[in-house]
């Protein structure tokens, strides 16, 4: 399962607006001198907004984890 952590930035009725951050590096090492790390420093962090059903009753400011099953990615 592919999972992503996000912060709830808004709630409207039964839906919520979630903000996630995409990084262009893998963040697996702390060397900071690999090519992937250098590219990441050039392009920085990109924020994404997603609107989902609020089945958890989440409130603004809370962090949630969303997941996509591997089978859906393969299709």
């Amino acid at each position: 399962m592919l999972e992503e952590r996000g912060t709830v930035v808004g709630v409207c009725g039964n839906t919520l607006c979630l903000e996630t951050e995409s990084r262009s590096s893998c963040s697996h090492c702390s060397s900071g001198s690999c090519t992937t790390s250098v590219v990441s420093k050039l392009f920085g962090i990109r924020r994404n907004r997603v609107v989902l059903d609020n089945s958890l009753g989440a409130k603004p400011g809370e962090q949630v984890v969303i997941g996509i099953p591997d089978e859906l990615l393969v299709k």
Side-chain angles (χ1 to χ4, degrees), residues 41-58:
K41 289 175 187 172
L42 290 173
F43 294 104
I45 299 171
R46 186 178 64 204
R47 299 188 191 289
N48 304 299
R49 293 251 172 141
V50 181
V51 177
L52 301 169
D53 289 335
N54 190 5
S55 60
L56 300 173

Side-chain angles (χ1 to χ4, degrees), residues 1-6 18 20 22 48-52 64-75:
M1 177 167 298
L2 176 67
E3 294 183 343
E4 181 70 32
R5 182 177 304 272
L18 183 71
T20 64
S22 296
N48 304 299
R49 293 251 172 141
V50 181
V51 177
L52 301 169
V64 297
V65 176
I66 56 174
I68 300 172
D70 294 333
E71 307 83 52
L72 290 179
L73 294 175
V74 175
K75 291 181 181 180

Side-chain angles (χ1 to χ4, degrees), residues 24 31-33 36-44:
S24 56
S31 73
S33 61
T36 305
S37 176
V38 172
V39 170
S40 174
K41 289 175 187 172
L42 290 173
F43 294 104

Side-chain angles (χ1 to χ4, degrees), residues 5-26:
R5 182 177 304 272
T7 303
V8 178
V9 293
V11 176
C12 184
N14 293 329
T15 61
L16 60 83
C17 186
L18 183 71
E19 186 173 86
T20 64
E21 295 180 352
S22 296
R23 290 173 170 58
S24 56
S25 70
C26 65

